[in-house]
Amino acid sequence: MMNRKKFLQLGSMGLASINLPSFSTTIQKPIVISTWDSGMPVNAEAWKILSANGKSIDAVEAGAMYIEDSLNCCVGLGGHPDRDGIVTLDACIMDEKANCGAVGGLEQIKHPISVARKIMETTPHVMLVGQGAQQFALENGFPKEPAKLSEDATNAYKKWIEKSKYQPEINIENKKNNGPFAPPFFEDGSPNHDTMGLVAMDTNGDLSGAVTTSGMAFKIHGRVGDSPIIGAGLFVDNEIGAATSSGVGEEVIRICGTHTVVEYMRHGYSPEKACKKAVERIVNRDPKKAATLQVGFLAMNKKGEYGAYAIQKGFVFSVKSNNENKIHTSKYLI
Ligand code: ASP
């Protein structure tokens, strides 16, 4: 919180015209926001905990577990496989004290988000990957289960394998508006990404976030995207706000995407503007390339204000609070 003395100091430094935090005291809490329309039931699950005055860390884990259970095409054991036909899962979780845990390339474990939380709570580490992550999960009582590709994922993989063209582009949802550099990935228009990222603030005003995904469809075996990387797919700073992302992970990693969003909020930008600034960084780096891909950021600040921004049309997000329960359409740059 900026006090008067600090404000005057900034003023005397000639910085009074920068985007200072506003002084409104209305805080919207509890609240949960999540990527995509698939976030609606995820939010509902998180809401059960938030509305009972539960902790945001429990709420985001419950939301992520819900979608990991649901044989979604892009999250959990039903998700799209890599190009070798193997489903590998990425997830991370972060609480209001900057405790965090993550898994990358985890196979045959149904709830990567809970493994991430276990790493956070019981080890001195943040991230375990591949076989080591699986071994840790098994040692901690998570059962081994074979991946069972959802119907969508099976069909998409069968179709992809006919040509096996290695072009790990994230599809852009509205192909008609894509412009010349936007090759659709799936000919039938089905999505090849749908990472679940969610951020919640509980009645105590504490923020937490979680991300879970099977990552980019048909990736090289071993590829890890932004989703499990703290500061890329998820970042929480309980003094400022939190952010998550979906889209081409490599582009998000390059700019430490969600950390960047939170830093913009720290400098007084609204969640939507902060997301926009991060999107601009990606686009400005290589506009031609950016026109071929999608990245969306979603953020919330400590007042429970939220916003999103994407490179392209098509990014949507879900919000649940005492005031609303709905899907919002993100603004976009190109
Ligand atoms: N960000 C994810 C990744 O690069 C993809 C997604 O959003 O679905 O793995």
Side-chain angles (χ1 to χ4, degrees):
M1 188 73 181
M2 170 131 358
N3 61 31
R4 189 176 139 78
K5 189 168 161 215
K6 207 158 176 195
F7 179 83
L8 290 175
Q9 275 169 357
L10 281 174
S12 69
M13 288 160 70
L15 295 174
S17 61
I18 62 170
N19 285 282
L20 291 171
S22 70
F23 292 90
S24 156
T25 50
T26 342
I27 299 174
Q28 178 169 218
K29 59 181 183 177
I31 177 168
V32 54
I33 59 175
S34 54
T35 51
W36 307 109
D37 43 358
S38 52
M40 289 296 281
V42 167
N43 287 354
E45 207 58 29
W47 190 254
K48 287 181 194 165
I49 292 170
L50 293 172
S51 59
N53 295 333
K55 284 178 68 65
S56 56
I57 188 72
D58 296 325
V60 294
E61 184 188 13
M65 285 177 77
Y66 173 87
I67 199 153
E68 287 171 351
D69 264 331
S70 70
L71 269 195
N72 180 291
C73 74
C74 311
V75 175
L77 292 174
H80 289 126
D82 61 25
R83 67 176 185 179
D84 297 340
I86 303 166
V87 176
T88 63
L89 303 175
D90 299 337
C92 74
I93 193 160
M94 189 166 190
D95 75 8
E96 79 281 1
K97 295 198 176 98
N99 296 310
C100 43
V103 285
L106 181 63
E107 290 176 36
Q108 299 192 349
I109 301 288
K110 193 178 194 175
H111 288 301
I113 197 66
S114 301
V115 181
R117 184 164 181 182
K118 199 83 184 169
I119 293 166
M120 170 176 105
E121 289 178 342
T122 66
T123 81
H125 308 302
V126 167
M127 189 174 205
L128 295 178
V129 301
Q131 287 229 311
Q134 193 193 58
Q135 187 185 327
F136 172 85
L138 297 175
E139 283 167 7
N140 281 278
F142 292 88
K144 195 167 175 178
E145 288 182 39
K148 24 182 176 339
L149 300 198
S150 62
E151 210 182 307
D152 283 353
T154 309
N155 293 340
Y157 185 62
K158 275 190 194 149
K159 190 143 204 158
W160 175 78
I161 211 143
E162 284 166 15
K163 294 184 195 154
S164 299
K165 192 173 169 209
Y166 193 61
Q167 183 195 9
E169 302 273 354
I170 288 288
N171 75 305
I172 296 157
E173 292 70 23
N174 185 335
K175 286 190 270 171
K176 288 199 182 99
N177 289 323
N178 285 348
F181 304 108
F185 191 73
F186 293 149
E187 281 152 26
D188 66 358
S190 63
N192 70 351
H193 67 108
D194 212 352
T195 290
M196 176 47 56
L198 67 159
V199 164
M201 181 159 57
D202 57 31
T203 43
N204 207 31
D206 286 330
L207 288 161
S208 298
V211 180
T212 185
T213 187
S214 54
M216 188 182 278
F218 321 140
K219 58 198 175 187
I220 290 178
H221 185 65
R223 177 265 186 190
V224 173
D226 60 321
S227 304
I229 296 178
I230 299 298
L234 175 70
F235 195 67
V236 177
D237 181 326
N238 205 42
E239 279 186 13
I240 304 298
T244 187
S245 63
S246 187
V248 178
E250 284 72 5
E251 299 306 311
V252 177
I253 292 170
R254 269 187 251 284
I255 64 149
C256 296
T258 53
H259 181 263
T260 296
V261 171
V262 171
E263 289 309 295
Y264 278 120
M265 291 197 285
R266 189 187 308 281
H267 292 292
Y269 286 92
S270 70
E272 183 184 295
K273 284 230 173 83
C275 291
K276 184 179 183 200
K277 296 288 284 179
V279 165
E280 281 170 355
R281 286 233 191 142
I282 295 173
V283 173
N284 292 343
R285 196 183 71 80
D286 188 341
K288 198 167 160 180
K289 186 174 176 201
T292 69
L293 50 87
Q294 176 66 306
V295 168
F297 291 110
L298 173 63
M300 185 197 294
N301 65 17
K302 277 295 275 186
K303 288 190 277 181
E305 296 166 342
Y306 56 81
Y309 224 89
I311 298 180
Q312 316 267 351
K313 188 171 184 174
F315 183 47
V316 297
F317 61 100
S318 305
V319 178
K320 171 78 184 137
S321 70
N322 284 314
N323 303 326
E324 62 172 317
N325 183 27
K326 70 181 211 203
I327 300 166
H328 290 254
T329 302
S330 168
K331 290 187 187 160
Y332 53 96
L333 203 64
I334 300 182

